[in-house]
Amino acid sequence: MEKQSPNDIQTALSNHISLPPNQQSCASSALSKRERDYLLLSILVRVQHLQLDQALTLIETLAAMGDDAPDLYFTRAIVNYQLGRFGLALDDLQTLDQLKPPDMMSSAEDEERSRTRSFMKARCHFALHGELDEEGQASLDFYLRRQKTAV
């Protein structure tokens, strides 16, 4: 897939979102919560249908518009992981660890995301180095410690 510039992406995105003309190139604050949620849902649907390049285009659009929320980094990490771009996925996961450390998560959904992040980090380290380095082993240990016990 040919890499699109942020302007091309914003133009394509503006065809799907009704932004006032003077706000089409502004940061994500130009998007209402409902519009942003719709985009995230659109990304999820594309990921579920394995349309990963389209999902990544939407993710990069949100990022180009200034969105730097943790869920965007998590989503981009998942898509890059699925595309086999382990270095990029690992970069997003490390940024996510700084924005929202796994130990600070409290809800059941956050716990599941934390386990997923740890597993992906361990796999990324293994894919990049051919073995688990110290950080990869720590991620795997964290994942295994948080494993749900069967009843």
Side-chain angles (χ1 to χ4, degrees), residues 2-58:
E2 184 179 312
K3 185 78 171 170
Q4 295 178 331
S5 74
N7 290 336
D8 294 339
I9 295 171
Q10 287 177 350
T11 301
L13 183 60
S14 67
N15 293 332
H16 300 286
I17 298 177
S18 57
L19 294 176
N22 62 343
Q23 291 185 353
Q24 288 184 355
S25 62
C26 294
S28 64
S29 62
L31 293 176
S32 70
K33 180 179 178 350
R34 184 175 178 186
E35 291 169 329
R36 184 180 181 281
D37 288 347
Y38 176 78
L39 276 176
L40 290 174
L41 180 62
S42 296
I43 292 166
L44 174 66
V45 168
R46 281 166 177 78
V47 169
Q48 288 178 330
H49 290 276
L50 299 177
Q51 299 169 342
L52 301 175
D53 289 330
Q54 292 177 11
L56 192 56
T57 299
L58 290 173

Side-chain angles (χ1 to χ4, degrees), residues 30-118:
L31 293 176
S32 70
K33 180 179 178 350
R34 184 175 178 186
E35 291 169 329
R36 184 180 181 281
D37 288 347
Y38 176 78
L39 276 176
L40 290 174
L41 180 62
S42 296
I43 292 166
L44 174 66
V45 168
R46 281 166 177 78
V47 169
Q48 288 178 330
H49 290 276
L50 299 177
Q51 299 169 342
L52 301 175
D53 289 330
Q54 292 177 11
L56 192 56
T57 299
L58 290 173
I59 292 167
E60 294 302 330
T61 299
L62 280 172
M65 293 176 75
D67 192 329
D68 62 351
D71 55 348
L72 187 66
Y73 285 100
F74 183 66
T75 305
R76 185 168 51 196
I78 289 172
V79 172
N80 279 324
Y81 178 86
Q82 290 296 323
L83 288 170
R85 299 174 182 163
F86 299 110
L88 294 173
L90 188 57
D91 290 344
D92 284 329
L93 291 168
Q94 289 171 337
T95 301
L96 190 56
D97 284 347
Q98 294 172 355
L99 294 174
K100 193 172 183 180
D103 293 333
M104 302 300 287
M105 299 181 167
S106 58
S107 71
E109 179 182 339
D110 284 342
E111 181 68 25
E112 189 61 33
R113 283 184 177 206
S114 177
R115 290 188 70 241
T116 302
R117 285 167 48 179
S118 296

